[in-house]
Structure formats: structure tokens, C-alpha cells
Amino acid sequence: MLVFLFRSSLRFHRIKKSALPLQNPLIRSLYHDCLAQLRITKEIPVYTTAFLASPVIAGVLKPCIFLPLHLISDCRTGDIRYMLLHELQHYRHRNALIHCIGNLAGALYWFNPFVWYALREMKTDREMACDTSMLEMLEENAYRDYGNTLINFAEKISRLSFPSVMGISGSMAQMRKRIINIASYRPASPRQKLYGFVSYALTAALFAGFIPALSIQAVDHDRYHFREQGKTIRDLDLRSSFAGNEGSFVLYDTAADTWMIYHKEAALTRITPVSTYKIYSAMCVPLSSI
């Protein structure tokens, strides 16, 4: 998978080297209007190339937008404006960084089908989020025009084969979901926005609890956490049995509900490899019956 990502990045790098700065004055003026509309002050270069079928944005630290030459010559300015705004939404949402993390996850967990499913759904959600951001800034009578832009160019813009870049493209199934999302779009109410934010915060907190570095147990990962409150504990002196060797001994008497421990400090210390620990369960009989 790493080789595949490297080859794809190398192919796109060759396309980037052959691309030329956007020269069309009408499209350049339209692009600067899009930057002003989204209040983006960073100057993001725009290039044209004949080797792409779909407009894309690439780069985490130095993002660039690449427009296919055939779109500039064949498309209406309204369609190009929607495509430029969509690519700039990717920049606003910082999707490039998330995209790189997703590619890394796909390379590390190439064997896990659930990871591939999650990455595919994440890409669809990312595009739908950009579509929703687009609809929020458009008038209601422009929703249909934006949806028609996706429909009219669905066949052309669904051929993106570079995993290192992002664009308005997607599979036909993803495009279908996006069109349905656009057709059924209704501006979110303040209550819905609050519900969405609370749901996101709770989900993030839940998953953060599974991160070892943030868990309570990881605060002192070199020791076991043994709650002594409410337990009966007897200290044992087995120094003669250990004959000068370091170690510990723990015995739990289920009948008396009593813990008998020798060298408790050593018993609570994690020793690598911990997989060598063996826990024995024994059925004991009273000494008087022997």
C-alpha cells in the first residue's frame, strides 16, 4: 500500500510539474471572487493541466488547485464557480490533513475490511459536508444549479485515480448520495446544530477514553492498580522460602475472602514480559482433614 501511495504521488508530481499557471483572465477574476466570498486571505495558486479530468486540490502546507483544460473551454462560468468554491471548501475544512491520515490508516490496516469501509464512508461524508457548506452560502434557487453541475459532469469527474489529492469527484454511488443530500437539503435550525455539536463532543470524548495515553490506567503504567479498600489483607513473610531471590507471592482465599501477600510492592509492579505470569486456581481442603 505504501508503494501504491508513493507511485500515485509520483505520478501526480509529474502532472504538477507540467501544469501551467491559470492564464484565463475571466476564470482568474472568478477565482478571486470565490476567495473573497469565502473570506480566504491565503493566496492559493491555480494551475491548468490537460492530464486531469476533474478539478482537484492538493497539498497540506502549500495547497494548490488544478483545473483541467477541457473544463475551462467547455463549461459555463457558473459551473466553474461551483467547482472552485467546492475545492476551496476542502481547504477551509482542512481536509488535506485528514485525507493524509486516512491514507496512512489504509496502508497500516490494509488487511481490515472495516477500515476500508470506514475510509470510503469518510470520503463520502467529507464531500457531502463540502456540499452542505456550499448550500449554506447559496440562495435556495441556486441549489438546483449546483446539483445539476454534479449531474452534468458526473461521468467526467468520477475518474479521479490519485489517492493523494481531493476533488469534487467520486464514485457513482457516492455521487448519488450527494445528489439526494442536495435535493433534500434544509437549513439546520439552531437546535439541530446544538444537537449535532453535543453528539460530536460526546462521541469524541468516548473514543478519547480508549486512547492509552489519556486513560486513567496509563497515568502509572508501570504499576497495577489494586484497590485495598474493603479488602482483608494479610502480610506474609516468605523470605526463607525465596532464599534471597526477589519476587512476590499472592494467594486469595475465597472461603475467608482474604488476600495473603508477600512483598506487595513487587506484586504491584509490572514486569516485562507480563505474558509470563501464570494464575493458578486451586481447591484446598482443611489441614485437619488430611
Side-chain angles (χ1 to χ4, degrees):
M1 288 305 303
L2 290 175
V3 171
F4 170 72
L5 291 175
F6 176 76
R7 288 182 60 187
S8 299
S9 299
L10 186 61
R11 286 174 54 207
F12 186 79
H13 180 69
R14 292 172 181 169
I15 293 177
K16 184 177 179 179
K17 289 182 63 176
S18 66
L20 298 175
L22 177 64
Q23 300 295 334
N24 190 302
L26 178 61
I27 305 302
R28 287 189 62 85
S29 176
L30 183 64
Y31 174 64
H32 285 95
D33 290 342
C34 293
L35 289 175
Q37 186 175 0
L38 294 177
R39 299 177 181 178
I40 297 177
T41 57
K42 181 181 178 64
E43 186 66 27
I44 303 175
V46 181
Y47 298 92
T48 58
T49 177
F51 301 102
L52 288 175
S54 169
V56 299
I57 184 170
V60 177
L61 301 178
K62 296 181 179 180
C64 303
I65 294 178
F66 297 86
L67 294 178
L69 285 174
H70 72 87
L71 289 183
I72 296 178
S73 58
D74 299 340
C75 297
R76 298 181 296 112
T77 55
D79 294 330
I80 297 178
R81 173 175 173 268
Y82 290 142
M83 294 182 184
L84 288 172
L85 287 173
H86 183 93
E87 301 309 319
L88 291 174
Q89 291 291 355
H90 281 300
Y91 169 76
R92 289 184 63 199
H93 294 173
R94 301 295 187 268
N95 285 337
L97 178 60
I98 304 300
H99 191 63
C100 290
I101 296 175
N103 285 333
L104 181 61
L108 292 176
Y109 299 98
W110 56 269
F111 54 86
N112 192 329
F114 295 103
V115 172
W116 286 104
Y117 174 79
L119 292 176
R120 186 181 64 191
E121 292 300 307
M122 188 170 68
K123 180 180 179 180
T124 303
D125 291 342
R126 184 176 63 223
E127 296 300 328
M128 291 176 64
C130 289
D131 291 338
T132 301
S133 298
M134 284 283 299
L135 298 176
E136 288 177 350
M137 60 184 294
L138 297 176
E139 298 292 336
E140 187 173 356
N141 55 9
Y143 296 171
R144 182 186 297 269
D145 292 337
Y146 179 64
N148 285 333
T149 298
L150 296 183
I151 293 174
N152 293 336
F153 297 96
E155 184 177 358
K156 294 180 182 179
I157 65 180
S158 61
R159 297 174 182 171
L160 185 61
S161 59
F162 298 98
S164 58
V165 302
M166 295 172 299
I168 198 173
S169 64
S171 66
M172 297 308 293
Q174 291 170 335
M175 298 294 286
R176 188 180 299 111
K177 288 184 179 181
R178 293 170 61 184
I179 295 299
I180 294 175
N181 175 62
I182 294 172
S184 60
Y185 172 76
R186 295 292 181 275
S189 64
R191 182 177 181 180
Q192 289 174 319
K193 291 182 180 180
L194 178 62
Y195 175 78
F197 175 79
V198 172
S199 300
Y200 171 79
L202 292 177
T203 303
L206 175 64
F207 280 99
F210 292 106
I211 300 176
L214 300 179
S215 66
I216 298 177
Q217 298 269 349
V219 174
D220 187 4
H221 61 275
D222 292 331
R223 294 177 57 81
Y224 288 100
H225 294 267
F226 180 68
R227 296 183 179 180
E228 300 184 22
Q229 186 177 1
K231 293 182 174 65
T232 303
I233 301 175
R234 267 178 48 195
D235 291 329
L236 300 177
D237 186 1
L238 301 178
R239 286 175 293 182
S240 59
S241 299
F242 277 82
N245 296 308
E246 293 187 5
S248 64
F249 176 81
V250 179
L251 177 66
Y252 174 62
D253 187 342
T254 56
D257 191 19
T258 302
W259 292 84
M260 289 169 280
I261 303 176
Y262 165 68
H263 201 178
K264 184 171 64 176
E265 186 66 24
L268 296 178
T269 302
R270 294 180 183 269
I271 301 174
T272 304
V274 294
S275 60
T276 59
Y277 278 101
K278 301 295 184 293
I279 300 176
Y280 294 93
S281 177
M283 182 181 295
C284 300
V285 295
L287 292 176
S288 59
S289 64
I290 298 179

